[in-house]
């Protein structure tokens, strides 16, 4: 039987092994915590109207987080900042 984690590991082994599994193994804290990613659009060349990569192969940290944020533990809030002018990045998260 192929589990969800197995399928996820096949598509994103580094994210699963280095981020998600360690977070999921931590005892949930009493209060929510947050992960702040400042200037997520810095150095990103994804322009308005440009096609983003397929969900299985994100090219940027923004694409990686946007396509996998739902797998973070419920006690961890993801907060990202980006310039208002960068609508392509903003649309990834809305």
């Amino acid at each position: 039987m192929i589990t969800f984690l197995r399928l996820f590991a096949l598509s994103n082994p580094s994210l699963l092994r280095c981020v998600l599994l360690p977070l999921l193994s931590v005892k949930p804290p009493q209060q929510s915590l947050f992960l702040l990613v400042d200037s997520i659009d810095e150095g990103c060349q994804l322009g308005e109207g440009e096609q983003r990569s397929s969900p299985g192969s994100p090219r940027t940290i923004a694409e990686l987080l946007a396509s996998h944020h739902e797998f973070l533990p419920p006690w961890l809030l993801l907060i990202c900042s980006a310039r208002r002018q960068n609508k392509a990045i903003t649309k990834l998260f809305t």
Side-chain angles (χ1 to χ4, degrees):
M1 181 171 149
I2 297 179
T3 65
F4 172 75
L5 283 179
R6 176 82 173 126
L7 287 174
F8 189 83
L10 292 173
S11 66
N12 294 288
S14 297
L15 180 66
L16 180 70
R17 184 177 54 250
C18 298
V19 178
L20 294 179
L21 287 179
L23 283 173
L24 294 171
S25 68
V26 171
K27 182 181 174 190
Q30 292 182 355
Q31 297 178 356
S32 294
L33 302 175
F34 65 89
L35 172 64
L36 174 64
V37 182
D38 189 26
S39 302
I40 198 163
D41 58 335
E42 188 68 34
C44 184
Q45 301 301 318
L46 189 63
E48 188 72 36
E50 183 181 337
Q51 198 71 349
R52 69 182 265 204
S53 60
S54 65
S57 60
R59 296 180 296 169
T60 66
I61 295 293
E63 287 182 341
L64 182 70
L65 290 174
S67 61
H68 297 93
H69 72 278
E70 69 271 10
F71 302 115
L72 294 172
W75 49 263
L76 185 65
L77 307 173
L78 178 61
I79 301 172
C80 301
S81 73
R83 292 182 185 96
R84 287 186 192 151
Q85 305 91 308
N86 198 331
K87 297 196 186 313
I89 295 296
T90 305
K91 286 181 184 178
L92 291 174
F93 294 93
T94 56

